[in-house]
Amino acid sequence: MGWKPRQSDRMYRFVVYAGKAVFAALRLPVEVTGTENLPASDPLNGRSRRAVPGHGAVVAITHFGYLDFAFAELVLWNHARIQARYMISKRAADNRFVSPFVFGLGHVVTDRSAGAAAYDDALAKLRAGEYVAILPEAGVSRSYTVRTLKTGAVRLAAEAGVPVIPISVWGAHRLLTRGHGFSIKRAWKAPVRLHINPAIHHSPGLDVTEETEKLRRELQDGIEVCIADFPVTPEPGAWWMPAHFGGGAMTDAERDAADVADRNAGRYSRG
Protein backbone atom coordinates (compact mmCIF):
# COMPACT_ATOMS: atom_id res chain seq x y z
CA MET A 1 0.00 0.00 0.00
CA GLY A 2 1.40 3.38 -0.96
CA TRP A 3 0.89 6.89 0.41
CA LYS A 4 -2.76 7.66 1.26
CA PRO A 5 -3.38 11.41 0.97
CA ARG A 6 -6.61 13.11 1.94
CA GLN A 7 -9.27 13.69 -0.71
CA SER A 8 -8.28 16.71 -2.77
CA ASP A 9 -10.20 18.64 -5.44
CA ARG A 10 -6.88 20.07 -6.60
CA MET A 11 -5.45 16.61 -7.24
CA TYR A 12 -8.63 15.62 -9.07
CA ARG A 13 -8.37 18.66 -11.34
CA PHE A 14 -4.70 17.90 -11.99
CA VAL A 15 -5.53 14.35 -13.10
CA VAL A 16 -8.43 15.51 -15.29
CA TYR A 17 -6.33 18.16 -17.02
CA ALA A 18 -3.46 15.72 -17.48
CA GLY A 19 -5.83 13.25 -19.12
CA LYS A 20 -7.27 15.94 -21.37
CA ALA A 21 -3.73 16.89 -22.41
CA VAL A 22 -2.91 13.29 -23.35
CA PHE A 23 -6.13 12.95 -25.36
CA ALA A 24 -5.38 16.23 -27.12
CA ALA A 25 -1.82 15.15 -27.90
CA LEU A 26 -3.14 11.97 -29.52
CA ARG A 27 -5.70 14.03 -31.45
CA LEU A 28 -8.52 11.78 -30.25
CA PRO A 29 -11.88 12.86 -31.67
CA VAL A 30 -14.49 12.24 -28.97
CA GLU A 31 -18.16 12.40 -29.96
CA VAL A 32 -20.86 12.37 -27.31
CA THR A 33 -24.64 12.16 -27.68
CA GLY A 34 -27.32 12.17 -25.01
CA THR A 35 -25.78 14.91 -22.85
CA GLU A 36 -29.30 16.28 -22.42
CA ASN A 37 -29.89 13.25 -20.18
CA LEU A 38 -27.31 14.44 -17.66
CA PRO A 39 -28.57 16.32 -14.60
CA ALA A 40 -28.47 20.10 -14.49
CA SER A 41 -25.28 21.71 -13.24
CA ASP A 42 -24.81 22.29 -9.51
CA PRO A 43 -22.97 25.20 -7.85
CA LEU A 44 -19.19 25.16 -8.04
CA ASN A 45 -16.73 24.95 -5.20
CA GLY A 46 -13.97 26.96 -6.83
CA ARG A 47 -13.40 25.17 -10.16
CA SER A 48 -15.06 21.88 -9.19
CA ARG A 49 -18.65 20.83 -8.62
CA ARG A 50 -19.90 21.22 -5.07
CA ALA A 51 -21.62 18.11 -3.72
CA VAL A 52 -25.25 18.95 -2.93
CA PRO A 53 -27.19 16.41 -0.82
CA GLY A 54 -30.00 14.93 -2.90
CA HIS A 55 -28.26 15.75 -6.18
CA GLY A 56 -25.97 12.75 -6.45
CA ALA A 57 -26.20 9.88 -8.92
CA VAL A 58 -24.81 6.46 -9.72
CA VAL A 59 -23.01 6.43 -13.06
CA ALA A 60 -22.96 3.00 -14.74
CA ILE A 61 -20.29 2.65 -17.45
CA THR A 62 -19.62 -0.10 -19.97
CA HIS A 63 -16.31 -1.91 -19.65
CA PHE A 64 -14.73 -3.04 -22.91
CA GLY A 65 -11.33 -1.45 -22.35
CA TYR A 66 -9.11 -0.05 -19.63
CA LEU A 67 -9.73 3.60 -20.53
CA ASP A 68 -13.54 3.62 -20.67
CA PHE A 69 -13.74 5.23 -17.25
CA ALA A 70 -11.47 8.11 -18.33
CA PHE A 71 -13.69 9.07 -21.27
CA ALA A 72 -16.81 8.87 -19.09
CA GLU A 73 -15.16 11.16 -16.54
CA LEU A 74 -14.22 13.56 -19.35
CA VAL A 75 -17.90 13.86 -20.28
CA LEU A 76 -18.98 14.41 -16.68
CA TRP A 77 -16.27 17.00 -16.09
CA ASN A 78 -17.02 18.91 -19.28
CA HIS A 79 -20.73 18.90 -18.49
CA ALA A 80 -20.70 20.19 -14.94
CA ARG A 81 -17.21 19.84 -13.41
CA ILE A 82 -18.36 16.57 -11.85
CA GLN A 83 -15.73 14.64 -9.94
CA ALA A 84 -17.04 11.09 -9.96
CA ARG A 85 -15.86 8.77 -7.20
CA TYR A 86 -15.10 5.42 -8.81
CA MET A 87 -15.43 1.99 -7.27
CA ILE A 88 -11.82 0.73 -7.43
CA SER A 89 -10.69 -2.80 -6.67
CA LYS A 90 -8.46 -3.36 -3.66
CA ARG A 91 -5.94 -4.99 -5.99
CA ALA A 92 -5.51 -1.71 -7.86
CA ALA A 93 -5.57 0.40 -4.70
CA ASP A 94 -2.75 -1.65 -3.19
CA ASN A 95 -0.38 -0.61 -6.00
CA ARG A 96 2.09 1.88 -4.52
CA PHE A 97 1.93 4.11 -7.59
CA VAL A 98 -1.87 4.02 -7.99
CA SER A 99 -2.75 4.21 -4.29
CA PRO A 100 -2.10 7.97 -3.80
CA PHE A 101 -4.45 8.81 -6.67
CA VAL A 102 -7.14 6.40 -5.50
CA PHE A 103 -7.34 8.06 -2.10
CA GLY A 104 -6.54 11.61 -3.20
CA LEU A 105 -9.33 11.48 -5.77
CA GLY A 106 -11.79 10.16 -3.22
CA HIS A 107 -12.48 6.85 -4.92
CA VAL A 108 -14.12 3.92 -3.14
CA VAL A 109 -11.92 0.88 -2.54
CA THR A 110 -13.83 -2.37 -2.82
CA ASP A 111 -12.67 -5.78 -1.67
CA ARG A 112 -14.62 -8.44 -3.55
CA SER A 113 -14.30 -10.83 -0.62
CA ALA A 114 -15.75 -8.28 1.84
CA GLY A 115 -17.70 -5.60 0.02
CA ALA A 116 -19.90 -4.28 2.84
CA ALA A 117 -17.51 -1.47 3.84
CA ALA A 118 -17.18 -0.25 0.25
CA TYR A 119 -20.96 -0.36 -0.19
CA ASP A 120 -21.45 1.75 2.94
CA ASP A 121 -18.76 4.21 1.81
CA ALA A 122 -20.37 4.59 -1.63
CA LEU A 123 -23.81 4.99 -0.06
CA ALA A 124 -22.55 7.75 2.24
CA LYS A 125 -21.01 9.60 -0.71
CA LEU A 126 -24.26 9.35 -2.69
CA ARG A 127 -26.29 10.67 0.22
CA ALA A 128 -23.84 13.56 0.54
CA GLY A 129 -24.52 14.48 -3.09
CA GLU A 130 -21.53 12.87 -4.78
CA TYR A 131 -21.52 10.98 -8.08
CA VAL A 132 -20.36 7.39 -7.67
CA ALA A 133 -19.21 5.67 -10.86
CA ILE A 134 -19.38 1.91 -11.29
CA LEU A 135 -18.33 -0.45 -14.07
CA PRO A 136 -21.01 -3.01 -13.23
CA GLU A 137 -19.69 -5.73 -15.55
CA ALA A 138 -16.87 -6.07 -12.97
CA GLY A 139 -14.22 -6.72 -15.61
CA VAL A 140 -13.53 -6.28 -19.30
CA SER A 141 -16.09 -7.93 -21.58
CA ARG A 142 -14.05 -9.58 -24.32
CA SER A 143 -17.08 -9.99 -26.57
CA TYR A 144 -17.47 -6.17 -26.64
CA THR A 145 -21.11 -6.63 -25.76
CA VAL A 146 -22.53 -5.80 -22.33
CA ARG A 147 -22.65 -8.92 -20.23
CA THR A 148 -24.63 -9.72 -17.08
CA LEU A 149 -24.16 -6.95 -14.53
CA LYS A 150 -23.51 -7.03 -10.83
CA THR A 151 -26.48 -5.64 -8.89
CA GLY A 152 -24.57 -3.06 -6.83
CA ALA A 153 -25.33 -0.06 -9.05
CA VAL A 154 -29.09 -0.57 -8.82
CA ARG A 155 -29.06 -1.40 -5.11
CA LEU A 156 -26.99 1.68 -4.25
CA ALA A 157 -29.13 4.01 -6.33
CA ALA A 158 -32.37 2.67 -4.87
CA GLU A 159 -31.16 2.89 -1.27
CA ALA A 160 -29.70 6.38 -1.73
CA GLY A 161 -32.75 7.63 -3.63
CA VAL A 162 -30.71 8.77 -6.65
CA PRO A 163 -30.89 7.89 -10.37
CA VAL A 164 -28.60 5.64 -12.38
CA ILE A 165 -27.04 7.33 -15.41
CA PRO A 166 -26.06 4.78 -18.12
CA ILE A 167 -22.97 5.79 -20.14
CA SER A 168 -21.94 3.56 -23.05
CA VAL A 169 -18.38 3.91 -24.36
CA TRP A 170 -17.33 2.58 -27.75
CA GLY A 171 -13.91 2.75 -29.40
CA ALA A 172 -11.81 3.27 -26.28
CA HIS A 173 -11.07 -0.47 -26.27
CA ARG A 174 -9.18 0.04 -29.55
CA LEU A 175 -6.63 2.06 -27.56
CA LEU A 176 -6.05 -0.34 -24.68
CA THR A 177 -7.84 -3.48 -23.58
CA ARG A 178 -7.20 -6.99 -22.40
CA GLY A 179 -4.99 -8.80 -24.90
CA HIS A 180 -4.30 -5.64 -26.91
CA GLY A 181 -1.69 -3.30 -25.47
CA PHE A 182 -1.33 0.37 -26.16
CA SER A 183 0.03 1.40 -29.55
CA ILE A 184 0.61 5.03 -30.52
CA LYS A 185 0.09 4.12 -34.17
CA ARG A 186 -3.33 2.60 -33.43
CA ALA A 187 -4.27 5.31 -30.91
CA TRP A 188 -3.32 8.28 -33.11
CA LYS A 189 -6.53 10.12 -34.06
CA ALA A 190 -8.55 7.08 -33.00
CA PRO A 191 -12.19 8.12 -32.53
CA VAL A 192 -14.09 7.42 -29.33
CA ARG A 193 -17.88 7.48 -29.19
CA LEU A 194 -20.10 7.81 -26.10
CA HIS A 195 -23.85 7.78 -25.65
CA ILE A 196 -25.78 8.66 -22.50
CA ASN A 197 -29.23 7.15 -22.11
CA PRO A 198 -31.95 8.71 -19.92
CA ALA A 199 -31.40 8.35 -16.20
CA ILE A 200 -33.19 5.43 -14.58
CA HIS A 201 -35.14 6.15 -11.38
CA HIS A 202 -36.01 3.32 -9.04
CA SER A 203 -39.08 3.10 -6.84
CA PRO A 204 -39.26 1.41 -3.41
CA GLY A 205 -39.73 -2.35 -3.49
CA LEU A 206 -38.00 -2.75 -6.84
CA ASP A 207 -37.03 -6.11 -8.28
CA VAL A 208 -33.24 -5.74 -8.22
CA THR A 209 -32.63 -8.51 -10.75
CA GLU A 210 -35.17 -7.13 -13.20
CA GLU A 211 -33.91 -3.55 -12.84
CA THR A 212 -30.30 -4.66 -13.28
CA GLU A 213 -31.23 -6.43 -16.51
CA LYS A 214 -33.00 -3.24 -17.64
CA LEU A 215 -29.78 -1.33 -17.00
CA ARG A 216 -27.82 -3.90 -19.02
CA ARG A 217 -30.19 -3.44 -21.96
CA GLU A 218 -29.88 0.35 -21.75
CA LEU A 219 -26.09 0.12 -21.80
CA GLN A 220 -26.15 -2.29 -24.75
CA ASP A 221 -28.63 -0.06 -26.61
CA GLY A 222 -26.16 2.80 -26.12
CA ILE A 223 -23.38 0.68 -27.62
CA GLU A 224 -25.56 -0.06 -30.65
CA VAL A 225 -26.15 3.70 -31.08
CA CYS A 226 -22.40 4.30 -30.98
CA ILE A 227 -21.58 1.54 -33.46
CA ALA A 228 -24.24 2.74 -35.91
CA ASP A 229 -22.40 5.95 -36.73
CA PHE A 230 -18.84 5.09 -35.67
CA PRO A 231 -16.51 6.81 -38.17
CA VAL A 232 -14.22 3.79 -38.72
CA THR A 233 -15.30 1.02 -41.10
CA PRO A 234 -13.93 -2.25 -39.70
CA GLU A 235 -12.28 -4.84 -41.88
CA PRO A 236 -14.03 -8.23 -41.94
CA GLY A 237 -13.15 -10.09 -38.76
CA ALA A 238 -11.67 -7.01 -37.04
CA TRP A 239 -10.71 -7.98 -33.50
CA TRP A 240 -12.45 -4.99 -31.97
CA MET A 241 -15.89 -5.67 -33.41
CA PRO A 242 -18.50 -7.96 -31.80
CA ALA A 243 -19.08 -11.32 -33.45
CA HIS A 244 -22.72 -10.52 -34.32
CA PHE A 245 -21.43 -7.64 -36.47
CA GLY A 246 -18.99 -9.93 -38.30
CA GLY A 247 -16.08 -9.04 -36.05
CA GLY A 248 -13.41 -11.25 -34.58
CA ALA A 249 -14.27 -10.75 -30.90
CA MET A 250 -15.42 -13.64 -28.76
CA THR A 251 -19.05 -14.63 -28.93
CA ASP A 252 -21.01 -14.23 -25.71
CA ALA A 253 -20.75 -17.98 -25.11
CA GLU A 254 -16.99 -17.97 -25.71
CA ARG A 255 -16.60 -15.00 -23.37
CA ASP A 256 -18.54 -16.73 -20.61
CA ALA A 257 -16.45 -19.89 -21.02
CA ALA A 258 -13.24 -17.84 -20.90
CA ASP A 259 -14.43 -16.12 -17.72
CA VAL A 260 -15.08 -19.51 -16.12
CA ALA A 261 -11.62 -20.71 -17.19
CA ASP A 262 -10.07 -17.59 -15.66
CA ARG A 263 -11.91 -18.15 -12.42
CA ASN A 264 -10.87 -21.78 -12.25
CA ALA A 265 -7.26 -20.81 -12.93
CA GLY A 266 -7.29 -18.16 -10.21
CA ARG A 267 -7.14 -15.24 -12.62
CA TYR A 268 -9.54 -12.29 -12.62
CA SER A 269 -12.99 -13.68 -11.92
CA ARG A 270 -14.70 -11.33 -14.39
CA GLY A 271 -12.12 -10.56 -17.05
Side-chain angles (χ1 to χ4, degrees), residues 149-167:
L149 309 181
K150 300 291 188 181
T151 60
V154 168
R155 291 189 292 112
L156 276 169
E159 189 167 349
V162 300
V164 177
I165 301 172
I167 299 184

Side-chain angles (χ1 to χ4, degrees), residues 42 63 83-84 101 129 147 153 212:
D42 288 311
H63 196 13
Q83 300 175 133
F101 294 101
R147 62 183 170 187
T212 299

Side-chain angles (χ1 to χ4, degrees), residues 44-77:
L44 296 181
N45 181 20
R47 288 177 287 173
S48 304
R49 172 188 175 271
R50 183 193 311 160
V52 178
H55 287 203
V58 172
V59 182
I61 306 164
T62 54
H63 196 13
F64 298 167
Y66 296 134
L67 298 177
D68 294 356
F69 77 96
F71 288 98
E73 175 56 36
L74 176 67
V75 170
L76 295 171
W77 177 265

Side-chain angles (χ1 to χ4, degrees), residues 214-230:
K214 177 181 178 181
L215 175 60
R216 190 201 67 78
R217 291 196 302 268
E218 289 291 309
L219 289 168
Q220 183 59 43
D221 286 349
I223 291 296
E224 304 286 337
V225 169
C226 293
I227 291 176
D229 61 3
F230 194 64

